[in-house]
Amino acid sequence: MELHILEHSLKVASIEKEGIQICTHGLMKLAFLASKTRCKFFSLTETPEDYTIIVDEEGFKELPQSDLISVADATWLALNVVSGGGNASSSQPIGVTKIAKSVIAPLADHNISVFMLSTYQTDFILVRERDLPMVMHTLSSEFTLLRVVNGETVAAHDLGVTNGFVKPKLVPRPIIHPLSSPSNMFCVTSLDPDTLPSVATLLMDVMFYSGGSKELGTSSEDSSHIRFFSFSLIEGYISLVMDEQTAQRFPNNVLFTSASGELWKMVRIGGQPLGFDECGIVAQISEPLATADIPAYYISTFKFDHALVRERLTAVGCLEKTSKHGSVV
Amino acid sequence: MSGSKPDILWSPHHPDRYVICDSELGLYRIGPVGGTETKPGTLPLSEETAATLLAINSDTPYMKCVAWYPKHEPECLLAVGQANGRVVLTSLGQSHNSTCKELVGKEFVPKHARQCNTLAWNPVDNNLLAAGLDKHRADFSVLIWDISSKFAPETSVAAEKIRISTVDLDSSMVVTKPLYELGQNDACLSLCWLFRDPKLLLAGMHRNLAIFDLRNTSQKMFVNTKAIQGVTVDPHFHDRVASFFEGQVAIWDLRKFEKPVLTLTEQSKPLTKVAWCPTRTGLLATLTRDSNVIRLYDMQHTPTPIGDETEPTIIERSVQPCESQIGSFAWHPSSQNRMVVVSATNRVMTDFTVFERISLAWSSTTSLMWACGRHLYDCAEDSAEGAESTVEKDIATKMRERAQSRYGHDTLQVWRNHLLAGGNDPQLKSLWYDLSYILYVSHMKQCAEDMELKLQGNKQSLVYSGIKNIIRTSSGTTESRRCWIGSDRQTDVPRFSSEERCLALRLCGWISRGPDIDVETFLRSLEQEREWERAAAIALFNLDIRRAIQILNKGATMEKGDLNLNVVAMALSGYTDEKSSLWREMCSSLRLQLKNPYLCIMFAFLTSEPGAYDGVLYESSVAVRDRVAFACMFLSDAQLPHYIDKLTNEMKEAGNLEGILLTGLTKDGVDLMESFVDRTGDVQTASFCTLKGSPGEVLKDPRVQCWIENYRNLLDAWRFWHKRAEFDILRGKLDPSSKPLAQVFVSCNFCGKSISYSCSAMPHQGRGFSQYGVSGSPTKSKVTSCPGCRKPLPRCALCLMNMGTPVSSCSGPGKSDEKVDLTRENKLSQFNNWFTWCHNCRHGGHAGHMLSWFRDHTECPVSACTCKCMQLDTTGNLVPADSS
C-alpha cells in the first residue's frame, strides 16, 4: 500500500458562530470561486459549537484576522492511503475502518496526534508537520511512502530519525471520552463541480444561514437533532456531509446519491473540547469498529470528533463495550 | 460538455456525418452548398459546404462524455457518460435494427456515483466499453463494460454496499457488474485503447499515466506525471501518445515510457482538446480555453545523412478557422487536413481545411519544386526556344547554357565569345569586341612590328586602362579643317587628331591601323552586317556625304531593304551649311521624329554648331563606341576629357558593359563590372573578362576573386566538373598566381617520402647497384614501388596487386628507353588506376576497382570491415552533368 504525503500545508481554525458574517466573503470565494484563488484544499464544517475550517496556506490568506477566529498553532500535513494495484476484491470496507489498524493505531501507539477528515472520495489523516519524521518512521514498514511535490508524486525518504522513540505501548485502549448520538441521519455525498453554480445559493443558505428562525423552530421540536454540515473542496473534488432534511432541499439528480438513500448515524465524541494534543482518540473509536468490520467515516472538528456509522445498533453496541462511560447518550 | 462546453464527433463510418454534443446530441450531415441550398434548415459551414440537422437526442441529461460505437451496425449508437457515473447507450436517428433496439437504453451503473470523465470503445473487440470515473474512496475508477452482457444486478453482491437504486429501471437494461475493474483508489481523467494491442488500455489517472493489460489486471505499467488529461494515440505512429496538463502538452513514446520524449511550449491558458490529425503524420492540433485559434504542431523526424535519429523538429503555427471563440474541433476522418469547428456558444459550426505548409526548394538548375499536402509541384523555366519568348531567361539558365557552349573559352578570336553567349546581347557583344580590340592592339605592340605604334614601355599598359586614361595622357593634338570629301566646300567643323586619339579610335574599332583615319574597311564590314544607318552615320562623321548617301541607297535597294533610307538619302543630299536655310530649320526639328538613332544623329551633326554636339554625344541609344569615336574626332582637348568622364560615370552607375571601352580593365572597370554583376548576377562574364583582359593587379581585387570563386561554385553545383576543371586550367594560364601548391601528397609507408617522382630526387642507391652490374636497370623505377625506398606500395584490396601510378612525368636521367616506357605507362595512368582509400577505415585500392565494388556493395571490400565507405562520401554517388 502507498501512503501519499500531500503537499498542502494546512491550517485548522475555528470561527465562532457570531463571527461567520465577517468571513463569508472569503469563505464563499474559497467554496464557489476556487478558480479565483490558489487554494487547493478547503473544508468547512459546521457544528452546533462553531465552524471548523481546514484550509491550505494560500486559502488562509482569504480569511480576515479577528478575535472570533482561533487558529490551531501547528501546520498540518494531509496523508492519504492509496491501496495500489487492481486486486479484485470488490467489497472493501469503507472509511476509517480500512486504515484503523494500519495507520491510526500505529500513530496512536507512537503518541502522534491525528486530525481526521473523511470525504466522499477519500479519508485524509492530518498530522502536524513537526511530527512528520516520526510519522514516516512509524509507517515506513507498512507503506510505500510517497511525497507529492509540485503535483508530481516522488518517493519520500525516511528522514533518518532513529533516536528518542518512545517504545510503543501496546495496551488496550478504552474509549475515555463520553459519546453521544443525535437522532438525525446523515448522508455523505458529492456533486459535479460544473453544477455547483446552480446550487450555490442553496449551499450558501445551508452554510451561513442555519442559525435563522426556521432552524430555531426545528431545534425546539427535537432537541436531540444536531446541526452538522460539512463542505469540502479538495483538489477539485467536492464532498458534502449533511443531514437527511438538508439533502432533501437539493434538486433531484444533483447530488451523487440515490433515492434509496444511504444514511449514516453520527456518534459524537467528547464532552469537553478535545484539544489537539491528546492522542489515540480516533484509534479508540476506529479499532473496535474495524474489529467488527463496521464501515465508518470520521470527521474531526476544532472541538469534537464525529464518527458516522452505518449500522447504528451494532456500532453503538460495539463502542459501548469499550467505553468507560458505558452507554452512548 | 455540460451545457457550455460542446464537443464534436465524426461518424466512424460516414465521412459526411458528425454529432455535436452540448446539452443535447445533434446529428448533422455535411454536404456541398449547391445540393442543399434549397432545403430549409441547412447551415452554411464554409463557402462550399453546408450542414443539415438530421436528428436530435435530448434524452440524456448531465452528459459528461460521448463515444461513438465503432461498428458499422448499428451505425448511430452512442455511449454517453453522465455526471453520476452511469453510462447510457443511446442512438440518433431511426434505426430499426434489432441489435440496436436491444442496446439502446442500456445503462451501466458503477457502484458509487461520481462523474464519468471519459469513454472509449475498444477498437477491435467492439463490445468492450471503457469508462473512466472520478475517485471514490477505495472503489475502482476504470470500469470496462461488456455491452452485450445481459446480467441483472448481481444479488450476490451485498445489497447494502451498492449505493444505487434500481427500483425505477427495467432491471434487464441495467448492468452493474463490469467485466473488468481497474484503477482502485484513484481517479481516471482520460482513456484510450492502444492500437498495438487491443488488450492494452492507457489511462490518465490522478497523478500518473497507467497502461492496464486486460490479460493480467493485477499488473500495470505506470509513470508519475501531471500530464494525464486527454491521452490520445497517434494513429500513424502507434507508440506515440499525447497527453496534457493545464497549458502543456507532453508527447510520450510507449517504448520509452519513463518520461515524455518532449513537451511542447506551455500556453497561458489551459488546454481543452488535443487531437492527432488522422490524415497526416505527426500533426497535432491543440485548443485552449477562450481562444479563437487552433495551434498546430508538426512533428517530423528529419533523417541526417549518417542515418541517426535526431531530435524531432517541431514547427508550430496557429490557424484561425472562425472569428468566434472555439468550443471544440474534430478532424475529418478521411479528408486531408480538414476539420469541423464549433463555437463556444450558439453552436456555430465551421468547415475548415488547414492549409498545408509549403516547403520549397530550388534546384541548382533553376527549376523550382514545392510540396503542399500530398501534392508535389515542379516549376521549370519555359524552355520554348521561340525567338519571341516574352520573358527573358534567368541569368542562371543563361550562364548554364553559355558554360555548355564553352563561352569564354575562345581565346584566339575573343570577339567570338559573344556568339558563344548566344549573340543577342548588345552589351556582351560590345564587351567582347572591346576586349578583342584591346588584346589585338596590345598584341601588336608586344610584337613591336608596327613601328608607328611602338610606344614607350610605360604606355604598354595604357591599352588596358581604357580610353579615359588614354585621352588624359593626350598631348600634341592638332586641329584641322577639312573639306567635305568629293566637294571643295570647306567645312567649318574642326577635327582633332593625336596619337592617343588615334589609339582610341582603334579601340573603338573604327580604324584598324595607321595614323590616317581610314574608315573604309570598317564601313565595308558594317555594310556586310547590313548596319546601313550606322555605316552612313560613320561615313558622314568622316565628312563623306557622298559615301553616306551611297550607303543609304544601297541599304534601300537591298533585298528587304528599307525604302525610307532613300528618303533619308535625299534629305541628306540637300545639306547646306547656310545657317538660316529652310533645310536646316526643318531638319533640326524633324530629325527628332526619326526612329533610328543613327539617322537622328546624322542630322544632329549636320545642324549643330561646331563644338556643340550634344545631340550626338548624349543620344543614349547610339553605341558608346561610336559616340566616343565621334567625341575623339570632334571634341577639343578641353571638352573631351570632360565628356569621357561624364560618360564613364554614367556607365559605371548603370553597370553598362559598353563602358569597359572607357574604363578598360582597371579598378574603374572593376567598379563598372561590380555594378553590372549587382544588376545581373552574371559572375560568369565578369570572371572571364577580368581573367582575360586584366593585368595582375586587377585580378587581386577581392571582388574579382569573389566572382571567380562563385562561378566555380556554380559550376560545381551544376555538376559541371569538367567545365570547372577547364576553367581552372584557363585561370591558371591567365593568372599563374591562382595555381594552388600541392598541399597533399601520398607518402610511402616505409620511408615517409612522397611517392610521386617529381617530388623526390632520384634515389642514390640505384646508381650504386648499377655499379655492381645488377641485372635490370636499377634506376628504372617500378610504378608499384616507392621511388624513395623501393619498397612496394600498398596492395589494392580487390585485385591484391600493388598499386602505383605514374602521376607525373618522370624526371629520370632521360634515357630514351625510359621515355618509351613512360608513354606506355601514361596510358595506364587513367583514373581507374588511381589510388583511393576510405578516410574512415583506411582500406582502399584502385579507383576503378573500388567504384565497381561499391556499385553492388555498401560495405568495405576488406573482409570483416563493416565500414560503409561510399555512404560516407556524400558526393561519391553524384555523376557529372557535363560528360565531356
Side-chain angles (χ1 to χ4, degrees):
Chain A
M1 292 217 282
E2 292 175 356
L3 184 80
H4 288 202
I5 304 160
L6 306 184
E7 59 185 336
H8 315 289
S9 295
L10 303 174
K11 290 283 180 191
V12 178
S14 164
I15 305 172
E16 307 272 328
K17 282 275 176 175
E18 55 269 36
I20 195 68
Q21 295 95 322
I22 57 165
C23 300
T24 37
H25 174 258
L27 293 175
M28 275 163 57
K29 201 168 161 188
L30 290 168
F32 305 116
L33 299 164
S35 60
K36 306 280 179 202
T37 69
R38 296 162 63 91
C39 177
K40 293 266 173 57
F41 195 112
F42 170 66
S43 163
L44 170 73
T45 307
E46 185 189 4
T47 63
E49 293 79 26
D50 66 342
Y51 287 91
T52 298
I53 310 282
I54 308 169
V55 69
D56 62 17
E57 280 171 342
E58 292 289 344
F60 192 71
K61 293 174 191 160
E62 303 290 339
L63 296 176
Q65 292 203 324
S66 162
D67 290 345
L68 298 169
I69 302 174
S70 20
V71 185
D73 55 0
T75 297
W76 300 77
L77 293 174
L79 313 180
N80 186 12
V81 173
V82 174
S83 50
N87 42 9
S89 87
S90 56
S91 59
Q92 283 260 336
I94 282 168
V96 286
T97 307
K98 186 184 66 179
I99 53 170
K101 289 208 154 60
S102 57
V103 183
I104 296 168
L107 291 178
D109 290 341
H110 283 91
N111 280 331
I112 297 163
S113 173
V114 299
F115 195 87
M116 287 295 301
L117 178 67
S118 290
T119 67
Y120 184 76
Q121 290 83 12
T122 191
D123 300 295
F124 294 101
I125 308 135
L126 273 58
V127 295
R128 287 189 179 94
E129 195 172 31
R130 64 168 184 259
D131 290 337
L132 186 65
M134 187 71 117
V135 170
M136 288 171 69
H137 185 82
T138 308
L139 300 177
S140 58
S141 56
E142 188 117 4
F143 292 94
T144 313
L145 298 179
L146 295 170
R147 219 177 160 143
V148 180
V149 178
N150 290 325
E152 312 257 8
T153 314
V154 295
H157 301 290
D158 198 321
L159 299 175
V161 183
T162 47
N163 293 327
F165 282 123
V166 184
K167 194 176 168 59
K169 325 167 267 201
L170 299 167
V171 289
R173 256 185 292 264
I175 298 172
I176 49 175
H177 293 282
L179 305 177
S180 59
S181 180
S183 62
N184 44 351
M185 302 284 278
F186 291 86
C187 59
V188 180
T189 182
S190 175
L191 54 81
D192 178 2
D194 291 343
T195 58
L196 188 61
S198 66
V199 291
T201 45
L202 177 58
L203 276 170
M204 282 181 223
D205 188 32
V206 173
M207 282 183 198
F208 306 123
Y209 300 98
S210 61
S213 57
K214 193 174 137 214
E215 203 62 38
L216 280 172
T218 50
S219 66
S220 61
E221 262 172 42
D222 186 349
S223 56
S224 65
H225 256 256
I226 187 174
R227 173 68 210 160
F228 186 91
F229 176 83
S230 173
F231 172 94
S232 65
L233 175 60
I234 297 165
E235 293 177 359
Y237 292 105
I238 295 172
S239 171
L240 296 162
V241 179
M242 61 185 113
D243 65 9
E244 207 179 344
Q245 290 75 19
T246 311
Q248 277 158 13
R249 295 170 65 188
F250 283 82
N252 280 344
N253 281 324
V254 166
L255 298 181
F256 287 174
T257 43
S258 49
S260 75
E262 195 179 69
L263 294 175
W264 299 72
K265 194 70 195 165
M266 178 179 285
V267 175
R268 253 166 86 84
I269 299 114
Q272 299 288 321
L274 297 168
F276 290 94
D277 295 323
E278 190 180 334
C279 316
I281 303 171
V282 187
Q284 289 159 22
I285 300 295
S286 62
E287 268 185 309
L289 292 175
T291 312
D293 200 16
I294 298 167
Y297 290 121
Y298 200 103
I299 298 175
S300 299
T301 63
F302 207 80
K303 289 179 176 153
F304 300 104
D305 282 5
H306 307 80
L308 292 167
V309 289
R310 181 90 62 76
E311 297 111 294
R312 179 180 188 258
L313 292 174
T314 3
V316 170
C318 168
L319 292 176
E320 275 174 348
K321 270 189 244 164
T322 50
S323 171
K324 273 180 155 181
H325 299 266
S327 63
V328 173
V329 185
Chain B
M1 206 179 307
S2 60
S4 61
K5 205 186 123 201
D7 200 4
I8 308 178
L9 291 132
W10 278 93
S11 160
H13 300 295
H14 293 277
D16 61 340
R17 288 187 193 189
Y18 62 90
V19 159
I20 300 259
C21 19
D22 34 38
S23 56
E24 55 182 25
L25 298 164
L27 175 67
Y28 291 87
R29 189 182 60 218
I30 191 164
V33 166
T36 50
E37 66 186 346
T38 46
K39 290 183 203 160
T42 58
L43 301 157
L45 296 192
S46 68
E47 280 172 17
E48 288 101 35
T49 51
T52 319
L53 182 60
L54 297 180
I56 289 181
N57 178 335
S58 47
D59 302 342
T60 327
Y62 308 111
M63 284 193 291
K64 278 287 159 192
C65 47
V66 182
W68 200 315
Y69 186 56
K71 245 185 180 165
H72 261 292
E73 272 300 323
E75 67 180 38
C76 237
L77 186 70
L78 298 170
V80 178
Q82 291 175 289
N84 57 10
R86 294 173 176 226
V87 178
V88 183
L89 296 185
T90 187
S91 80
L92 269 165
Q94 298 83 30
S95 179
H96 304 292
N97 188 296
S98 61
T99 14
C100 185
K101 276 191 184 141
E102 218 168 85
L103 291 171
V104 168
K106 220 167 190 177
E107 279 197 42
F108 304 91
V109 183
K111 246 179 282 163
H112 299 100
R114 57 257 154 87
Q115 185 171 310
C116 178
N117 291 318
T118 176
L119 288 171
W121 292 97
N122 189 299
V124 174
D125 191 353
N126 296 147
N127 279 339
L128 296 187
L129 174 65
L133 302 162
D134 262 347
K135 182 182 168 77
H136 181 272
R137 312 203 133 257
D139 204 355
F140 298 92
S141 60
V142 179
L143 304 179
I144 297 171
W145 304 99
D146 181 355
I147 59 156
S148 58
S149 135
K150 290 187 171 69
F151 293 143
E154 241 180 76
T155 43
S156 62
V157 177
E160 67 275 350
K161 294 214 164 137
I162 301 166
R163 290 194 186 187
I164 56 108
S165 150
T166 56
V167 205
D168 54 338
L169 287 156
D170 177 5
S171 62
S172 71
M173 297 301 270
V174 173
V175 180
T176 56
K177 180 101 179 90
L179 198 58
Y180 297 98
E181 293 176 305
L182 307 160
Q184 197 178 22
N185 218 325
D186 210 339
C188 174
L189 280 307
S190 59
L191 279 176
C192 69
W193 295 93
L194 298 183
F195 294 113
R196 64 174 181 182
D197 193 314
K199 295 281 183 197
L200 295 179
L201 180 68
L202 174 67
M205 307 302 280
H206 182 46
R207 282 206 183 92
N208 60 75
L209 285 179
I211 297 173
F212 296 105
D213 189 340
L214 299 190
R215 294 162 296 200
N216 180 4
T217 52
S218 60
Q219 295 264 309
K220 66 172 181 184
M221 196 166 103
F222 73 99
V223 57
N224 289 323
T225 175
K226 281 196 275 188
I228 42 87
Q229 302 214 56
V231 290
T232 167
V233 186
D234 185 344
H236 294 282
F237 181 38
H238 292 174
D239 287 318
R240 184 151 67 178
V241 169
S243 69
F244 64 91
F245 159 73
E246 288 180 359
Q248 192 153 41
V249 178
I251 309 291
W252 305 83
D253 190 328
L254 297 179
R255 298 167 301 184
K256 194 173 177 292
F257 202 37
E258 301 88 54
K259 61 184 180 68
V261 281
L262 59 123
T263 47
L264 306 180
T265 40
E266 190 157 358
Q267 289 166 50
S268 54
K269 281 180 179 162
L271 291 154
T272 56
K273 185 157 184 174
V274 167
W276 295 100
C277 178
T279 52
R280 162 84 152 65
T281 51
L283 186 64
L284 186 76
T286 67
L287 175 68
T288 59
R289 206 179 59 198
D290 309 330
S291 159
N292 59 356
V293 293
I294 288 174
R295 202 168 278 266
L296 299 169
Y297 297 88
D298 193 350
M299 281 164 247
Q300 303 295 341
H301 287 266
T302 37
T304 56
I306 306 297
D308 280 336
E309 209 167 273
T310 48
E311 277 276 288
T313 5
I314 299 177
I315 299 158
E316 191 183 328
R317 66 189 176 122
S318 296
V319 291
Q320 188 178 3
C322 56
E323 290 298 312
S324 56
Q325 291 195 343
I326 298 167
S328 186
F329 70 92
W331 289 106
H332 190 283
S334 53
S335 279
Q336 206 184 346
N337 289 1
R338 182 172 164 196
M339 57 167 74
V340 160
V341 175
V342 66
S343 66
T345 51
N346 299 332
R347 220 193 245 198
V348 181
M349 297 172 288
T350 313
D351 182 4
F352 178 74
T353 300
V354 176
F355 202 77
E356 188 60 71
R357 262 183 323 107
I358 293 178
S359 51
L360 179 110
W362 284 100
S363 85
S364 58
T365 55
T366 68
S367 73
L368 177 66
M369 199 166 256
W370 69 92
C372 181
R374 288 179 190 159
H375 303 282
L376 192 61
Y377 299 91
D378 185 7
C379 169
E381 211 178 351
D382 196 357
S383 59
E385 281 297 318
E388 312 304 320
S389 177
T390 45
V391 188
E392 205 185 351
K393 277 184 194 159
D394 186 71
I395 186 64
T397 315
K398 284 190 195 167
M399 284 197 279
R400 201 159 170 271
E401 285 171 1
R402 288 171 188 173
Q404 272 172 320
S405 66
R406 297 178 43 81
Y407 170 60
H409 283 283
D410 198 329
T411 45
L412 294 174
Q413 285 178 287
V414 176
W415 60 271
R416 280 183 56 82
N417 282 314
H418 97 263
L419 295 177
L420 296 175
N424 49 10
D425 189 322
Q427 289 200 25
L428 291 188
K429 184 177 175 181
S430 157
L431 172 75
W432 287 108
Y433 272 103
D434 286 343
L435 290 177
S436 163
Y437 294 140
I438 289 172
L439 293 171
Y440 175 70
V441 172
S442 73
H443 177 73
M444 294 271 287
K445 284 184 192 169
Q446 276 167 356
C447 294
E449 299 288 326
D450 197 327
M451 292 306 287
E452 293 151 297
L453 276 169
K454 201 172 179 185
L455 296 168
Q456 294 307 308
N458 64 336
K459 294 202 176 176
Q460 170 74 39
S461 60
L462 211 55
V463 179
Y464 288 105
S465 56
I467 289 175
K468 187 181 161 193
N469 291 326
I470 293 171
I471 292 306
R472 194 162 290 156
T473 57
S474 176
S475 55
T477 306
T478 54
E479 192 182 323
S480 62
R481 284 163 198 274
R482 282 169 47 175
C483 305
W484 288 100
I485 294 167
S487 117
D488 48 1
R489 251 187 303 163
Q490 188 78 14
T491 57
D492 51 358
V493 186
R495 259 182 67 169
F496 303 90
S497 64
S498 70
E499 219 166 69
E500 287 78 12
R501 284 178 189 242
C502 195
L503 180 60
L505 284 178
R506 291 170 142 230
L507 291 175
C508 289
W510 278 22
I511 54 172
S512 51
R513 54 161 54 199
D516 292 325
I517 297 164
D518 176 18
V519 292
E520 192 50 38
T521 340
F522 184 52
L523 292 180
R524 294 235 168 87
S525 74
L526 286 177
E527 276 178 333
Q528 256 170 20
E529 289 169 46
R530 303 164 69 92
E531 292 191 66
W532 311 112
E533 295 89 347
R534 190 172 169 208
I538 291 165
L540 181 75
F541 298 151
N542 285 286
L543 306 177
D544 195 345
I545 287 192
R546 216 167 269 282
R547 179 82 175 104
I549 291 167
Q550 185 202 337
I551 290 167
L552 289 174
N553 272 327
K554 206 172 172 185
T557 51
M558 285 298 279
E559 222 176 308
K560 291 181 195 165
D562 186 356
L563 290 175
N564 287 332
L565 293 181
N566 272 333
V567 183
V568 177
M570 265 152 59
L572 210 54
S573 59
Y575 167 71
T576 165
D577 55 357
E578 201 142 319
K579 292 277 185 307
S580 54
S581 70
L582 180 67
W583 184 90
R584 219 181 167 92
E585 193 189 326
M586 291 322 289
C587 280
S588 61
S589 61
L590 288 175
R591 72 172 180 95
L592 298 171
Q593 289 173 27
L594 288 166
K595 296 251 162 52
N596 189 295
Y598 283 97
L599 298 181
C600 184
I601 57 166
M602 277 160 74
F603 291 103
F605 172 66
L606 291 176
T607 56
S608 301
E609 292 300 317
Y613 301 113
D614 284 7
V616 180
L617 297 172
Y618 296 105
E619 177 57 59
S620 57
S621 36
V622 170
V624 170
R625 65 178 67 252
D626 294 331
R627 284 192 274 161
V628 170
F630 178 87
C632 289
M633 287 166 74
F634 296 106
L635 291 186
S636 67
D637 274 358
Q639 288 171 307
L640 186 60
H642 177 71
Y643 171 71
I644 296 290
D645 279 354
K646 201 172 164 185
L647 193 60
T648 307
N649 288 336
E650 223 171 77
M651 295 290 122
K652 267 162 76 173
E653 231 156 83
N656 189 335
L657 289 182
E658 293 182 60
I660 289 293
L661 177 72
L662 302 172
T663 59
L665 288 165
T666 55
K667 199 191 148 290
D668 263 353
V670 176
D671 288 344
L672 191 150
M673 199 57 89
E674 185 185 14
S675 55
F676 168 76
V677 172
D678 286 350
R679 187 165 60 81
T680 62
D682 186 357
V683 287
Q684 184 183 38
T685 301
S687 306
F688 274 113
C689 89
T690 44
L691 264 183
K692 202 137 286 171
S694 298
E697 281 306 301
V698 173
L699 278 174
K700 289 198 184 81
D701 192 302
R703 291 171 291 180
V704 175
Q705 289 305 319
C706 174
W707 299 330
I708 290 172
E709 283 312 313
N710 273 301
Y711 181 54
R712 296 177 69 239
N713 289 342
L714 260 181
L715 290 172
D716 281 344
W718 292 328
R719 292 183 287 144
F720 281 7
W721 293 315
H722 297 117
K723 295 272 178 276
R724 209 260 285 161
E726 277 178 54
F727 177 76
D728 282 346
I729 293 164
L730 180 74
R731 184 187 177 196
K733 274 185 201 155
L734 297 171
D735 176 17
S737 66
S738 72
K739 258 189 198 161
L741 294 168
Q743 290 165 325
V744 178
F745 57 90
V746 181
S747 72
C748 170
N749 267 338
F750 298 99
C751 65
K753 286 183 186 153
S754 164
I755 61 160
S756 74
Y757 288 87
S758 59
C759 296
S760 64
M762 275 312 284
H764 297 288
Q765 304 104 304
R767 217 165 281 155
F769 281 120
S770 67
Q771 286 174 353
Y772 299 105
V774 180
S775 64
S777 168
T779 49
K780 181 177 160 191
S781 300
K782 270 191 195 164
V783 289
T784 56
S785 61
C786 168
C789 65
R790 307 265 177 155
K791 296 257 173 58
L793 293 174
R795 291 171 193 274
C796 167
L798 282 163
C799 69
L800 303 178
M801 302 286 282
N802 292 96
M803 289 187 287
T805 49
V807 284
S808 55
S809 55
C810 181
S811 58
K815 286 179 186 169
S816 61
D817 58 341
E818 278 204 16
K819 278 194 174 153
V820 172
D821 231 11
L822 257 179
T823 48
R824 192 173 52 91
E825 280 168 354
N826 270 337
K827 282 180 195 160
L828 294 175
S829 74
Q830 292 160 347
F831 177 70
N832 278 349
N833 287 350
W834 285 19
F835 280 59
T836 52
W837 64 95
C838 169
H839 291 260
N840 191 40
C841 67
R842 293 166 188 252
H843 298 130
H846 294 118
H849 295 160
M850 287 296 140
L851 274 178
S852 61
W853 171 266
F854 283 113
R855 234 166 265 148
D856 309 319
H857 300 82
T858 51
E859 281 183 5
C860 178
V862 173
S863 51
C865 178
T866 55
C867 180
K868 294 193 162 77
C869 316
M870 205 58 160
Q871 286 180 18
L872 298 174
D873 184 0
T874 48
T875 51
N877 298 315
L878 299 174
V879 284
D882 57 338
S883 45
S884 62

